[in-house]
Amino acid sequence: MEQPSQYNAVLRAIHWLTALVVIGLFAVGLWMVDLTYYSTWYKTAPYWHKSIGILLLGLTLFRLVWRIVKGTPQIEGNRLERAGAHAAHHLIYVLLFVIFASGYLISTSDGRAIEVFNWFEVPALGELFPNQSDIAGAIHYYAAFTLIGLAVLHAAAALKHHYIDKDNTLRKMIGDKSL
């Protein structure tokens, strides 16, 4: 398979949608932990957070398969930059899956399935270990902050490549037709 010169439209759309969804889920997650039982959002916010999180899991799995099938362009920069970019991309995926898994463990420790927009349910395994919700909650929290920090670094690196190095790194992800 020949390596493409830029990311295809499907990967570009998933990349930008994932960025928006992750930022949105992070903001909502921070907001909803302070909701009280008497808030009108007490049940609605977690329902939406979980539903969108499960859909993002499906989209992320699809994204990984699509990357394998269609390929991705070569990463630009020196050897250290390329190694750092590969490591950062892999860590982003690892963090996403840690967040998905910990969110599942938080949500299903009481034995209830996760309902996804009344479309389907993800079955619960119940409490698999003592203090599951608390432990998974701490992991979810710190992994989410780490992911956001890494995403900021990722965006800064793309801007550095675009404005300082003046290479095609960012152009590949915005679909510049001149490549």
Side-chain angles (χ1 to χ4, degrees):
M1 171 173 55
E2 186 178 324
Q3 196 167 31
S5 63
Q6 65 179 342
Y7 291 94
N8 63 60
V10 171
L11 284 177
R12 288 194 314 269
I14 292 172
H15 174 272
W16 295 110
L17 179 61
T18 298
L20 290 173
V21 169
V22 164
I23 292 166
L25 287 174
F26 180 76
V28 168
L30 288 177
W31 168 72
M32 75 182 189
V33 295
D34 289 330
L35 294 175
T36 66
Y37 180 77
Y38 300 102
S39 170
T40 56
W41 288 99
Y42 182 75
K43 290 186 179 189
T44 306
Y47 173 80
W48 278 75
H49 186 85
K50 293 174 201 178
S51 293
I52 292 170
I54 294 290
L55 294 178
L56 182 60
L57 166 60
L59 184 65
T60 303
L61 291 170
F62 174 80
R63 179 184 190 174
L64 289 171
V65 171
W66 192 265
R67 285 175 57 96
I68 291 166
V69 171
K70 295 295 186 177
T72 59
Q74 185 173 6
I75 294 175
E76 297 187 28
N78 64 42
R79 197 177 99 215
L80 185 60
E81 287 175 321
R82 289 192 312 272
H86 280 294
H89 289 143
H90 286 105
L91 185 54
I92 286 170
Y93 283 112
V94 167
L95 287 167
L96 282 169
F97 285 106
V98 165
I99 291 166
F100 296 142
S102 59
Y104 173 82
L105 292 173
I106 296 164
S107 301
T108 61
S109 66
D110 63 0
R112 287 184 288 167
I114 300 172
E115 190 177 310
V116 180
F117 292 125
N118 294 320
W119 298 337
F120 62 93
E121 287 186 348
V122 177
L125 296 175
E127 190 169 50
L128 302 173
F129 51 90
N131 300 317
Q132 177 174 311
S133 291
D134 292 337
I135 294 167
I139 291 168
H140 197 74
Y141 178 86
Y142 290 112
F145 268 98
T146 304
L147 177 62
I148 291 298
L150 193 54
V152 168
L153 184 63
H154 174 71
L159 293 172
K160 178 248 185 210
H161 276 276
H162 187 74
Y163 290 108
I164 296 172
D165 300 342
K166 300 195 184 310
D167 65 20
N168 292 319
T169 298
L170 187 58
R171 288 185 188 93
K172 292 176 193 176
M173 188 48 80
I174 60 173
D176 188 337
K177 300 294 182 202
S178 67
L179 294 177

